[in-house]
Amino acid sequence: MTVQALKFTPEVLLEAPRRSEGVPNSIGSKILYSVSTYSFSEHTKKSEIRILDVASQQTLLVTDDQSASEATWLGDAAVLLLKSNSDGTTTIWVGLPDSFEKSKHSVGTIEGPVGNIRLHDLGDGFWAFAVSGKAKPDGTLLNPEKVENSHSSGKLYTSGFVRHWDHYITENRNAIWLSKLYQNGFRIAGQATITHLVHPLKNALQGTKLESPIEPFGGKDHFDIGKHGLVFTSKDPGLNPATHTKTNIYVSASEDFWDDLHWKGSEFPEPQEVSIKGFEGASTSPTWSNSGKMFAFLSMKTDGYESDKNQPFIVHDYRKPSKVIRLFASEDGKGNWDRSPQSIAWSPNDWHLYFTAESHGRGNLYSVGPPRPGDDKARGPLILVKGGTVTAAKVLYNGDIFVTSTSLIENSLYSLVPLSERPRGTDVYTLPIDDRPFDSEPENLTTKYLSSNSRSGSKFGLSRHQIDEVYWPGAVDKTYVHAWVVKPSNFSPDKTYPLAYLIHGGPQGAWNDGWSTRWNPAVFAEQGYVVICPNPTGSTSYGQAFTDAIQGQWGGLPYQDLVLGFDWIKANLSYVDTTRAVALGASYGGYMMNWIQGHPFGREFKALVTHDGIFSMTGQMASEELYFPFHDLKGAPWQDPEGWARWDPSKFTEAWATPQLVIHNELDYRLTISEGLAAFNVLQSKGVESQFLTFPDENHWVLKPENGLLWHEVVLDWINEHVGLEKYTESRKAFWG
């Protein structure tokens, strides 16, 4: 980005360069990343892979090949990436960082599409190599371009898991594919190292019923390779995935795991399940220690509950996977640390673990000294980074931590936590969250501020002064509801602004101090709203009890929290005009819009927006992941029909009267399009002012830039018209002529 936006509009949001998490070299002096941009004038997307030199702050183009991806370091002297070919195959390229296109050479071609590269240095020029890709029923790699088309489109199923997220289930399954690379030295006559695949890729899950990564969102966080082998998570093959969340950690390892014999006829060691008594939920983030002997992972207690608390575990000896140590153990099994970690990294000496975890609407980084064998009490955790949302943390060779993060005004920040320089007794590091000049640091700042994609929001016309946070007493005694407040960049406390009340999805989710390209509060604020993003009962990051309290209470406690919040805003924020309020929500937030519409609170708003929301609770039986409503509504509909009916928005349509925009996409198999059509048909039948927007090629989210722009145009025009602000499309036309 070289030009500062005059105003943060949907076009600015959607055209802004999207930078991936940074991949540092071993000492953090150079950062490898990808960046993509979209042009509405040219209707094209451009992608590049680049390297940031931290010292000079200059960037170097590695490649602008649109089919290149998954760039990573091969040591510090070479870059490895994947190139997708038109025939469905994948080529592995290796080249020098400063002259990749001139020096690149093919390491080998893989016979199908793969991704999620993992490398591990085995020494003596050898590298363990792993990717994920679809396997056919016979265990060979799937290439969709070479599959013969059937003369019939019929699909026959004998189990309940027919489709997932946005696609129908097929007989093909994700698998982890292994090989080795050999690199003969670092440079040859100034050219790239000559690197090649030692063996053809081999399916590590061949002959098992296991699948990893787990769809639809599993990636590198679902498997890891180390000195002695592979550790991964997979759905329990004996359970119906539609009604169970249980996944198991498996380890396939041995002293000679990477020896050539496994590619000469011998099979890899059979995966051994890591059994944890009392923990029957989802397990994720398996991560080898640097020594290669230990691994850590996260696991939940409750089967069928995807938002249960993650608890960390360590296996000290991969040869004894049944001997598991739980960190922060408690007698009641809930764990002494009331946060749910999301990722794991090891310190170079294996003496510390680092977790990312949400806390009070932020995504922090924590440190803990793991227990030694025979000691079940972990030291810590201690906060290392507090502020914004940490999306990735990578430990460098010297123990420093490279951090990728975002905030409500920042779409990509690279920072360094200099643990190697930490004074004794210093435990807390704080990310820069103000709008001081890019090249200066706030007083006592202990993170090193490496690179901001938006210059602390200034390239968007945003600043930290627009962000505030408030609390109000909640529906449950002695609880408080936290909410983020985002104001217009030209905010004046002497003026009043209409309210945009944004309700998050989940429902076990939260508005965090983080960036979004779909629901970005600053886009609404720059239209002239004060945007308030509450985290009511059911939200994450405020303790597991607060999250769990929504079970059996979908239209109860959260609704009361929102009503109490509206009353608190009316009484305490003089710059908010609650007589000109709109409410918007997606997924569970969309459900809440339909619920609000049928109750007195709905009359407080000039207009509502429901995106992919629930109209009828029994419609949830068409969803792919039935465990979700079964858990949250305390059973199946035939087990507790009263509980399902109690929180059903369709039971209260007699009261529907507020103008409402309904958005629902055809590829949303989590909440089917009939939910949106039913809500819209009710509104139309009752003569309530309403609109319906659908995207046949989008799922639960709107991901394509042109669709995203239309989404913003329709939504902003709808709410602006109802609160007396100029329609967005008209203001844009007046600005550009």
Side-chain angles (χ1 to χ4, degrees):
M1 296 183 66
T2 57
V3 179
Q4 179 169 330
L6 297 175
K7 184 178 181 180
F8 188 53
T9 64
E11 286 92 338
V12 173
L13 170 69
L14 297 171
E15 286 189 327
R18 302 188 186 188
R19 193 168 69 172
S20 69
E21 70 177 62
V23 182
N25 61 5
S26 65
I27 60 174
S29 62
K30 296 183 185 296
I31 312 301
L32 186 62
Y33 66 95
S34 63
V35 60
S36 64
T37 56
Y38 188 85
S39 169
F40 287 111
S41 61
E42 299 178 1
H43 306 289
T44 57
K45 179 182 177 181
K46 179 181 179 181
S47 300
E48 296 178 340
I49 295 173
R50 306 190 72 89
I51 292 176
L52 168 69
D53 182 86
V54 173
S56 68
Q57 288 291 297
Q58 300 299 307
T59 67
L60 170 72
L61 177 67
V62 175
T63 182
D64 58 3
D65 187 331
Q66 302 304 291
S67 61
S69 64
E70 300 270 346
T72 189
W73 294 98
L74 189 64
D76 283 349
V79 170
L80 180 148
L81 55 80
L82 299 181
K83 174 180 170 59
S84 301
N85 302 315
S86 59
D87 63 355
T89 62
T90 304
T91 302
I92 309 170
W93 289 102
V94 170
L96 297 175
D98 54 358
S99 58
F100 184 86
E101 289 295 342
K102 292 181 179 180
S103 64
K104 70 181 181 184
H105 68 277
S106 172
V107 171
T109 296
I110 301 171
E111 290 305 310
V114 295
N116 296 313
I117 289 179
R118 281 199 178 275
L119 295 172
H120 182 78
D121 188 354
L122 298 173
D124 297 325
F126 288 96
W127 293 81
F129 176 86
V131 289
S132 66
K134 288 283 186 182
K136 295 184 289 186
D138 64 3
T140 60
L141 184 64
L142 171 71
N143 186 333
E145 299 298 323
K146 298 181 179 181
V147 174
E148 293 184 10
N149 292 326
S150 172
H151 295 293
S152 171
S153 61
K155 297 178 175 66
L156 178 65
Y157 294 88
T158 58
S159 64
F161 204 51
V162 172
R163 55 188 189 177
H164 198 195
W165 189 248
D166 58 5
H167 63 278
Y168 278 81
I169 298 298
T170 70
E171 60 185 356
N172 305 309
R173 298 288 183 266
N174 281 343
I176 301 165
W177 304 81
L178 304 180
S179 184
K180 288 196 297 184
L181 303 178
Y182 179 68
Q183 183 183 42
N184 61 342
F186 288 101
R187 288 176 182 261
I188 299 178
Q191 298 301 308
T193 58
I194 304 302
T195 309
H196 66 275
L197 278 175
V198 178
H199 303 287
L201 289 183
K202 190 168 183 179
N203 183 352
L205 308 187
Q206 179 85 34
T208 73
K209 295 182 180 180
L210 305 177
E211 179 178 12
S212 186
I214 302 168
E215 292 189 331
F217 306 121
K220 292 183 181 180
D221 59 326
H222 281 192
F223 70 98
D224 194 18
I225 53 174
K227 178 180 179 181
H228 297 299
L230 170 70
V231 60
F232 63 96
T233 185
S234 173
K235 283 277 191 179
D236 191 308
L239 299 175
N240 183 350
T243 53
H244 294 272
T245 59
K246 189 176 190 297
T247 68
N248 303 321
I249 297 295
Y250 297 88
V251 58
S252 173
S254 65
E255 289 287 338
D256 60 356
F257 186 89
W258 297 103
D259 287 358
D260 290 347
L261 62 93
H262 294 304
W263 280 269
K264 295 180 179 178
S266 298
E267 297 298 324
F268 292 114
E270 182 179 353
Q272 300 296 309
E273 179 183 339
V274 179
S275 179
I276 322 164
K277 185 178 180 180
F279 280 73
E280 300 296 327
S283 298
T284 190
S285 302
T287 308
W288 284 104
S289 68
N290 291 289
S291 67
K293 186 178 180 180
M294 301 185 290
F295 60 87
F297 60 93
L298 304 172
S299 190
M300 298 179 179
K301 283 185 63 65
T302 308
D303 184 18
Y305 186 22
E306 64 181 4
S307 297
D308 198 7
K309 183 171 69 173
N310 275 323
Q311 298 191 46
F313 293 82
I314 294 176
V315 172
H316 281 285
D317 187 342
Y318 72 87
R319 295 167 298 185
K320 302 175 182 178
S322 61
K323 293 188 176 181
V324 182
I325 292 179
R326 177 157 54 107
L327 277 66
F328 317 117
S330 63
E331 291 185 3
D332 61 6
K334 295 181 178 180
N336 288 323
W337 186 30
D338 200 12
R339 292 296 177 264
S340 183
Q342 302 299 312
S343 68
I344 301 173
W346 290 83
S347 66
N349 61 8
D350 291 349
W351 275 87
H352 287 82
L353 289 174
Y354 304 110
F355 302 116
T356 57
E358 292 182 353
S359 185
H360 294 275
R362 295 168 173 83
N364 298 336
L365 178 65
Y366 295 85
S367 170
V368 59
R372 303 294 99 191
D375 175 10
D376 63 353
K377 294 182 180 179
R379 295 93 166 128
L382 301 173
I383 295 178
L384 292 180
V385 175
K386 179 181 180 181
T389 295
V390 175
T391 57
K394 300 182 183 299
V395 183
L396 305 182
Y397 180 78
N398 66 353
D400 292 346
I401 305 177
F402 175 84
V403 171
T404 301
S405 64
T406 71
S407 75
L408 284 164
I409 62 162
E410 170 65 75
N411 72 342
S412 175
L413 176 67
Y414 296 158
S415 301
L416 188 72
V417 183
L419 294 182
S420 61
E421 304 173 6
R422 180 177 59 174
R424 289 187 178 180
T426 303
D427 297 318
V428 179
Y429 292 80
T430 305
L431 281 177
I433 57 172
D434 64 8
D435 59 343
R436 301 188 186 196
F438 173 75
D439 58 356
S440 70
E441 294 182 347
E443 292 181 7
N444 300 320
L445 177 67
T446 49
T447 51
K448 291 186 177 180
Y449 195 12
L450 302 182
S451 173
S452 166
N453 199 38
S454 68
R455 298 292 179 92
S456 298
S458 64
K459 288 295 182 182
F460 299 139
L462 304 175
S463 77
R464 195 67 195 181
H465 295 309
Q466 295 176 244
I467 311 301
D468 201 354
E469 51 189 316
V470 295
Y471 290 84
W472 59 75
V476 177
D477 188 35
K478 297 182 180 180
T479 64
Y480 284 82
V481 174
H482 174 229
W484 291 103
V485 181
V486 184
K487 306 170 187 175
S489 56
N490 60 356
F491 173 79
S492 170
D494 299 324
K495 297 180 180 180
T496 59
Y497 302 85
L499 168 66
Y501 212 28
L502 269 57
I503 313 305
H504 68 67
Q508 294 91 352
W511 290 109
N512 285 326
D513 185 9
W515 191 258
S516 173
T517 54
R518 297 192 309 275
W519 284 80
N520 191 303
V523 165
F524 297 92
E526 291 304 272
Q527 290 295 302
Y529 295 90
V530 167
V531 183
I532 296 187
C533 305
N535 286 330
T537 298
S539 298
T540 55
S541 82
Y542 303 93
Q544 194 62 35
F546 191 75
T547 302
D548 294 345
I550 196 173
Q551 187 182 22
Q553 283 287 327
W554 264 40
L557 294 176
Y559 174 80
Q560 296 173 45
D561 286 341
L562 296 174
V563 173
L564 290 168
F566 190 89
D567 292 341
W568 186 92
I569 294 164
K570 186 185 301 185
N572 292 276
L573 301 183
S574 60
Y575 52 82
V576 177
D577 183 358
T578 54
T579 67
R580 293 191 299 146
V582 292
L584 309 87
S587 194
Y588 173 79
Y591 160 88
M592 184 54 70
M593 293 303 102
N594 292 338
W595 183 258
I596 285 172
Q597 175 72 281
H599 291 80
F601 192 30
R603 310 293 81 80
E604 296 281 1
F605 298 99
K606 294 295 185 182
L608 302 172
V609 177
T610 294
H611 176 106
D612 288 0
I614 296 172
F615 170 74
S616 170
M617 296 307 285
T618 55
Q620 283 283 275
M621 289 304 297
S623 182
E624 11 82 287
E625 295 180 343
L626 292 176
Y627 57 74
F628 178 71
F630 287 5
H631 173 272
D632 274 23
L633 299 175
K634 295 188 174 182
W638 54 89
Q639 295 171 323
D640 186 10
E642 293 80 11
W644 280 62
R646 182 182 183 187
W647 307 121
D648 191 334
S650 69
K651 305 295 184 184
F652 302 91
T653 53
E654 181 181 359
W656 285 31
T658 300
Q660 187 168 354
L661 166 64
V662 179
I663 306 168
H664 219 108
N665 301 327
E666 289 194 26
L667 294 182
D668 186 352
Y669 297 157
R670 183 146 296 182
L671 301 172
T672 61
I673 193 172
S674 60
E675 297 297 290
L677 286 169
F680 178 64
N681 289 341
V682 166
L683 294 162
Q684 289 284 297
S685 299
K686 290 178 63 66
V688 179
E689 183 185 358
S690 52
Q691 293 181 355
F692 181 73
L693 174 65
T694 185
F695 296 98
D697 55 346
E698 299 282 10
N699 53 38
H700 200 56
W701 302 330
V702 177
L703 300 176
K704 299 179 180 179
E706 300 283 354
N707 290 344
L709 180 57
L710 177 60
W711 185 96
H712 281 90
E713 290 172 346
V714 172
V715 169
L716 295 178
D717 278 359
W718 174 260
I719 61 176
N720 287 5
E721 181 180 27
H722 284 90
V723 299
L725 294 176
E726 186 178 19
K727 283 188 174 182
Y728 171 64
T729 54
E730 292 178 357
S731 65
R732 183 179 61 188
K733 183 177 180 180
F735 181 81
W736 291 106

